[in-house]
Amino acid sequence: MIKIGDKGRVIIALVLTFGVLAYLVQGDQQGTKPAGIDLPLERPVQQASQPDTGGATKVAAPIKDQATVSGPKAEDILKEASSKAEGGAAFFIEYRLERDRQRSQQIALLKQIIDNPNAGGEGKQEAQKRLVELTQQMDLEMQLEKLIVAKGYKDAAVFIQPNAVNVIVMADKFGDEDANKIGDLVSRSTGRPREQISMIHKK
């Protein structure tokens, strides 16, 4: 049986200690933790697509924040259009331009999710569904604007959202009768209750 003196024990202990430290440093440099050792990483793990290494799970790179994907806000479009033109035909031109610009950004983000090879199947299906809904809403907005103008109003802009419909009407006079008439038209066309339909009068 081999006997190890105190000096030998110290040397063995040091070798083992340096070996463990080298293992921990190597694991931290690779952005991973060794199994069974709970040490916090100094830098966050990047959400990026990794090459397939024997069935390893792929993580889809984040596209944008969810608020951007969910779509533009009516108040932001109204504020932007009002800052460029307070009223008249110019306001409606600016409103449609801003609405279409923000919608284009939303559509581009949805297409990016659909085309992302690392995106999950459920996420792609949701993006495809939302893209179809947006296309239908944009078509319905144009139809409603034409119908409102056909009823004798100078111009109209419609913005359909998931839980609200905003209607801006250009007319010299706009009373309760006008609001009820347009509200009924929009409600029938969109299937939304009157509570979700808001109207703004512009001269």
Side-chain angles (χ1 to χ4, degrees), residues 173-189:
K173 295 181 180 180
F174 192 83
D176 292 339
E177 184 178 350
D178 300 290
N180 290 331
K181 181 167 59 177
I182 294 176
D184 289 339
L185 171 65
V186 175
S187 180
R188 288 195 308 270
S189 301

Side-chain angles (χ1 to χ4, degrees), residues 1-84:
M1 184 174 181
I2 300 174
K3 293 184 179 181
I4 301 174
D6 293 338
K7 189 174 181 180
R9 292 191 186 96
V10 170
I11 293 173
I12 292 172
L14 288 172
V15 171
L16 290 173
T17 301
F18 283 118
V20 171
L21 287 174
Y23 179 64
L24 291 176
V25 170
Q26 183 181 5
D28 184 55
Q29 288 176 346
Q30 294 174 352
T32 59
K33 293 188 296 184
I37 300 177
D38 190 14
L39 290 177
L41 296 175
E42 293 182 359
R43 55 186 179 277
V45 178
Q46 295 180 349
Q47 286 188 326
S49 58
Q50 301 294 335
D52 193 356
T53 56
T57 304
K58 293 182 179 180
V59 181
I63 306 297
K64 282 276 187 177
D65 57 88
Q66 189 61 33
T68 307
V69 178
S70 62
K73 295 181 179 180
E75 54 267 27
D76 293 339
I77 297 175
L78 180 62
K79 182 178 179 181
E80 183 67 22
S82 298
S83 67
K84 296 178 180 178

Side-chain angles (χ1 to χ4, degrees), residues 86-119:
E86 293 185 358
F91 168 82
F92 287 86
I93 293 172
E94 293 295 341
Y95 186 91
R96 292 190 184 95
L97 286 173
E98 183 63 21
R99 179 191 64 188
D100 294 344
R101 184 185 69 82
Q102 294 196 27
R103 278 270 179 75
S104 296
Q105 292 178 352
Q106 186 183 9
I107 289 172
L109 290 172
L110 290 171
K111 287 183 177 179
Q112 191 176 350
I113 295 173
I114 295 170
D115 296 336
N116 187 349
N118 297 317

Side-chain angles (χ1 to χ4, degrees), residues 188-200:
R188 288 195 308 270
S189 301
T190 60
R192 305 290 181 83
R194 288 291 303 275
E195 293 78 18
Q196 291 186 1
I197 301 170
S198 61
M199 277 171 276
I200 300 174

Side-chain angles (χ1 to χ4, degrees), residues 116-130:
N116 187 349
N118 297 317
E122 185 177 347
K124 285 190 176 186
Q125 289 179 359
E126 186 63 29
Q128 289 172 340
K129 179 183 176 182
R130 182 63 184 137

